[in-house]
Amino acid sequence: MKETPSQTAGPYVHIGCVPRFAGLRGMYDGQDLGAEMITGEVAGTRISFIGAVYDGEGAPVTDAMVEIWQAAPDGTFSPEGFTSWGRQPADAQGAFRFETLKPGAMGAQAPHILVWIVARGIGLGLTTRAYFADEDNSSDPVYQRAGSRAQTLVARAVEGGYHLDIHLQGPKETVFFDV
Amino acid sequence: MAEAPFKPRDLGAHPPPFYPDYRSTHFRAPSHALLHYAPTATEMAGPVFGQGMLGADDDDLIVNYAAAGQAALGPRILVHGVLRDQDARPMPGKLIEVWQANAGGRYRHKKDGYLAPLDPNFGGCGRCVTGPDGTYSFRTIQPGPYPWPNGGNDWRPAHIHFSVFGDGFAQRLITQMYFEGDPHIALCPIVQSIPDPKGIDTLVARLDMGQTVPMDIRAYRFDITLRGRDATYFENFKDGT
């Protein structure tokens, strides 16, 4: 049996996935799924993970939806009080913001956040990773896989968190993975 | 013991990043090929949702945005099917989200300025969670075809967008469901960007008279297949690598 083929999420993915943001009054009790990642008391460092999505001409991708999936500070997924999963729309500037916890390392893997981007013009959701500028990423196998382009995966420290811009195309093109 | 890792994805079964006839890909397609790695503990895991998150009418787009006692305009349909993996294993407890245009082909979105009017009783989104046997269903109205800016006289076939979660994030999928007999399917570059006609055919829902309720609602069947597991796996999967 073959996997069902992907199709673009189109320009209106916000209606389906973040209806509150899209202005659909009252849907799902006014709560966009994935908006809250920290749901209880979990030890660790709270961070804002922010950035923006740009196309090959440098224009913001305002119709994108971004999902992240990451370990908790203790290196496990979805422990009590932390969902590990977040979903945010890109806004009118192409920007996204997640309020989350800094992930812990897992075995040989350095702390990282899986980032998944869908939008009009993207036929198969794009998977990338965010690593952290203040961690030693050099022995992480996926980071190594990115080779000379690995710097496109590194989020820089900013006030209160980390910043990573995602470039779909062009000289600053982000590394995207088939995983 | 962790389950077997996912099979590699057959990228040739999906739209290529750059497809000349679909203009929006021109500046959004990465120039570099995707870099492959085998799923790690990160991609083997994924968020878990349950029936408990659902509201009473989340799976009924006919009424879930309508004023009390009102209903959305358009042909009433029940869309149903089974979610399974490539090994034909049903996938219970998985979240499916849908969104679509109204019966006139208009989305409830500030950027959609199509001539067709909004339906005050139709929002255009819904969701459900697959049952113990992997089946799902929701009620909606059949969406209309609509024109879109792609450089020519382009019309989308009537379609419903689907967002699907699996066991692991590597199975995450967004796709679109079409309707049997729609002549726009053959004309649409978004659909035709799928290389294999058999793959396209799997996105075309069939009228299902067996589930059609007399004098009430017609049924369409749409089954969804997510990535399966690697059959050659023994017990060498190491956490964290």
Side-chain angles (χ1 to χ4, degrees), chain A residues 3-5 7 56 112 120 179, chain B residues 9 24 28 42 178 225 227:
Chain A
E3 184 187 13
T4 295
Q7 290 272 263
H112 64 275
R120 167 175 66 85
V179 58
Chain B
R9 184 168 246 156
S24 291
R28 293 183 169 194
T42 302
Y178 304 100
T225 308
R227 289 169 66 181

Side-chain angles (χ1 to χ4, degrees), chain B residues 21-237:
Chain B
D21 290 348
Y22 178 18
R23 201 172 62 176
S24 291
T25 67
H26 292 195
F27 294 108
R28 293 183 169 194
S31 308
H32 292 85
L34 301 180
L35 292 181
H36 176 77
Y37 64 86
T40 73
T42 302
E43 295 80 17
M44 291 303 300
V48 176
F49 305 98
Q51 303 279 350
M53 66 176 276
L54 299 176
D57 293 326
D58 283 6
D59 62 351
D60 191 344
L61 286 74
I62 296 174
V63 299
N64 72 11
Y65 199 77
Q70 303 289 303
L73 291 171
R76 295 157 56 82
I77 59 171
L78 172 85
V79 177
H80 76 106
V82 63
L83 178 67
R84 69 253 166 135
D85 70 9
Q86 287 180 271
D87 310 310
R89 299 197 301 183
M91 302 186 68
K94 300 295 178 278
L95 176 65
I96 295 178
E97 298 161 291
V98 296
W99 66 102
Q100 63 171 85
N102 69 22
R106 173 82 180 267
Y107 284 92
R108 185 172 287 281
H109 193 280
K110 62 185 176 190
K111 288 196 175 166
D112 187 355
Y114 183 35
L115 294 169
L118 286 171
D119 175 351
N121 290 309
F122 187 70
C125 73
R127 60 187 182 187
C128 57
V129 172
T130 58
D133 54 357
T135 59
Y136 76 91
S137 71
F138 60 92
R139 300 200 324 162
T140 187
I141 52 89
Q142 190 163 9
Y146 58 83
W148 59 295
N150 191 44
N153 186 10
D154 290 286
W155 293 73
R156 293 302 323 282
H159 63 276
I160 300 175
H161 295 267
F162 276 68
S163 161
V164 187
F165 288 83
D167 294 316
F169 208 89
Q171 292 175 300
R172 188 84 176 85
L173 184 73
I174 280 182
T175 191
Q176 300 181 31
M177 183 202 100
Y178 304 100
F179 291 86
E180 181 179 13
D182 188 334
H184 290 292
I185 292 171
L187 303 174
C188 176
I190 291 176
V191 181
Q192 297 302 321
S193 67
I194 296 167
D196 181 1
K198 288 188 199 134
I200 292 173
D201 193 56
T202 64
L203 298 184
V204 180
R206 264 56 181 191
L207 178 66
D208 180 358
M209 287 306 291
Q211 293 298 312
T212 288
V213 182
M215 304 307 287
D216 180 351
I217 192 165
R218 292 181 305 144
Y220 277 88
R221 176 153 186 156
F222 177 53
D223 295 333
I224 304 165
T225 308
L226 300 184
R227 289 169 66 181
R229 308 273 174 172
D230 184 351
T232 63
Y233 169 76
F234 291 104
E235 290 186 357
N236 54 359
F237 183 74

Side-chain angles (χ1 to χ4, degrees), chain A residues 9-24 27-28 31-33 53 61-67 87-96 117-120, chain B residues 28 97-100 107-111 123-126 161 163 174:
Chain A
Y12 306 128
V13 61
H14 293 169
I15 294 174
C17 293
V18 282
R20 178 182 178 178
F21 177 82
L24 272 67
M27 283 305 303
Y28 309 146
Q31 300 293 313
D32 282 340
L33 198 63
V53 184
V61 179
T62 59
D63 50 32
M65 176 180 84
V66 181
E67 290 184 359
R87 168 190 279 173
Q88 292 290 340
D91 67 13
Q93 285 74 46
F96 58 83
I117 303 116
V118 294
R120 167 175 66 85
Chain B
R28 293 183 169 194
E97 298 161 291
V98 296
W99 66 102
Q100 63 171 85
Y107 284 92
R108 185 172 287 281
H109 193 280
K110 62 185 176 190
K111 288 196 175 166
C125 73
H161 295 267
S163 161
I174 280 182

